[in-house]
Amino acid sequence: MTVDSLKRLLIFIVLCMAQVLVLNRIHLFSIATPLLYVYFVLLFPRNYPKWALLFWSFGLGLVNDTFSNTPGVACASMTLLGVIQPYCLELFVPRDAVEDFRPAVYSLGISKYIYYALPLTLLYCLVFFALESFNFFNWLQWLECTGGSTLLTFALILTLESLRTK
């Protein structure tokens, strides 16, 4: 196992433990729940094998579904995010960047990182809460949960990015 794989496994375990043990119990105003494990998919570098990205995304969603009692919701949402992430990253990576370019605030800049991470976080929350509610009779609550969770999750992602070193 390479050092990169061990780091990735450690981040996987830490984000799963944080989500399951702490963040799943936070419900601001009964609508906003931080879904910080989305950050894991945002960390994958450019030209990472797509099958491995899907494997990691599916595994993270499966672990969170298992411990959060959301059968298949996080798994499907994370797998979709794993499919979309490489194409979204290519929009913001400079053409002359190295092959294993790693997305971060210090490498992309704050504005490009926001344009990269915010739509992916919003997409994840939209799909997650749409699958969780599985109806649109109470669409106002669905929008509140999606918007609140997106903002809370994105604030936590930016906080982690500010603590991250090169």
Side-chain angles (χ1 to χ4, degrees):
M1 224 179 217
T2 65
V3 173
D4 185 53
S5 297
L6 288 175
K7 282 183 184 178
R8 197 167 309 285
L9 183 62
L10 180 66
I11 293 170
F12 182 94
I13 291 169
V14 167
L15 286 176
C16 282
M17 297 289 283
Q19 185 67 42
V20 169
L21 297 175
V22 178
L23 298 175
N24 278 348
R25 289 164 177 58
I26 297 173
H27 303 289
L28 290 179
F29 309 112
S30 297
I31 55 170
T33 302
L35 304 168
L36 188 59
Y37 54 92
V38 173
Y39 182 59
F40 183 73
V41 175
L42 298 177
L43 293 175
F44 280 97
R46 177 183 184 190
N47 293 333
Y48 196 79
K50 289 182 178 54
W51 67 268
L53 177 60
L54 288 175
F55 176 77
W56 281 106
S57 301
F58 179 81
L60 184 62
L62 186 64
V63 168
N64 279 301
D65 278 337
T66 302
F67 292 108
S68 302
N69 198 21
T70 55
V73 175
C75 195
S77 303
M78 285 298 288
T79 305
L80 176 67
L81 201 63
V83 169
I84 302 284
Q85 186 267 350
Y87 302 108
C88 190
L89 180 60
E90 283 298 318
L91 295 173
F92 300 103
V93 173
R95 293 196 199 299
D96 59 346
V98 295
E99 288 296 314
D100 63 340
F101 181 84
R102 297 184 183 276
V105 169
Y106 64 82
S107 62
L108 285 174
I110 187 70
S111 62
K112 281 187 179 180
Y113 189 80
I114 288 172
Y115 287 133
Y116 163 67
L118 187 61
L120 288 175
T121 307
L122 177 64
L123 174 70
Y124 178 80
C125 289
L126 278 171
V127 173
F128 182 86
F129 289 109
L131 290 174
E132 186 180 51
S133 67
F134 209 66
N135 66 40
F136 293 101
F137 290 116
N138 197 355
W139 60 272
L140 189 57
Q141 182 184 9
W142 174 71
L143 285 176
E144 288 173 344
C145 287
T146 301
S149 295
T150 299
L151 291 176
L152 188 58
T153 302
F154 190 66
L156 287 174
I157 288 172
L158 286 180
T159 303
L160 284 179
E161 273 296 313
S162 70
L163 299 173
R164 190 170 157 197
T165 61
K166 294 181 183 183

